[in-house]
Amino acid sequence: MRVDKFLWCVRYYKTRNMVTEACKKNHITVNGIIAKPSKEVFPTDKITFRKDQITQIIVVLDIPANRVAAKLVDIYRKNETPIETFQHLELLKLSK
């Protein structure tokens, strides 16, 4: 499955166009290599992307047939983003 479709299917982006724009800005990498929207992803691939001031790291566990419900997202990906990253974002929000 294409990386843009995968990130859309597991609900990290609202539209595939938003994923395409992120790819064009070099915000998305697959296994450490900058990805184009058409890059194929397979189970065990590590996707790193920057969204909302957070660099997120996810591992592909399975490929969905199409967009999945929010409750089922954990079946298809494993989030490996360090907890400290989210805590840092909360501190930034509180400091404003």
Side-chain angles (χ1 to χ4, degrees):
M1 176 179 278
R2 294 167 53 115
V3 70
D4 62 342
K5 188 171 182 182
F6 179 80
L7 289 173
W8 171 75
C9 284
V10 293
R11 299 183 169 268
Y12 277 103
Y13 290 90
K14 289 183 180 181
T15 64
R16 283 180 65 183
N17 190 35
M18 292 172 73
V19 185
T20 302
E21 291 299 317
C23 284
K24 288 179 182 177
K25 294 177 182 177
N26 298 332
H27 289 274
I28 299 175
T29 63
V30 176
N31 296 328
I33 301 170
I34 296 173
K36 292 183 179 179
S38 61
K39 170 77 173 146
E40 290 288 322
V41 293
F42 302 99
T44 71
D45 281 351
K46 185 179 279 191
I47 301 173
T48 306
F49 59 96
R50 183 148 176 88
K51 183 178 181 211
D52 298 331
Q53 298 180 350
I54 296 178
T55 301
Q56 302 224 12
I57 303 165
I58 61 170
V59 175
V60 179
L61 297 178
D62 199 7
I63 304 295
N66 45 8
R67 193 166 169 101
V68 295
K71 292 181 180 180
L72 302 176
V73 168
D74 290 333
I75 297 171
Y76 299 102
R77 59 98 176 132
K78 179 181 175 189
N79 195 342
E80 293 188 344
T81 307
I83 295 173
E84 296 83 24
T85 307
F86 294 108
Q87 292 171 345
H88 180 69
L89 183 65
E90 287 297 319
L91 288 174
L92 284 175
K93 287 181 180 177
L94 292 175
S95 68
K96 290 182 180 179

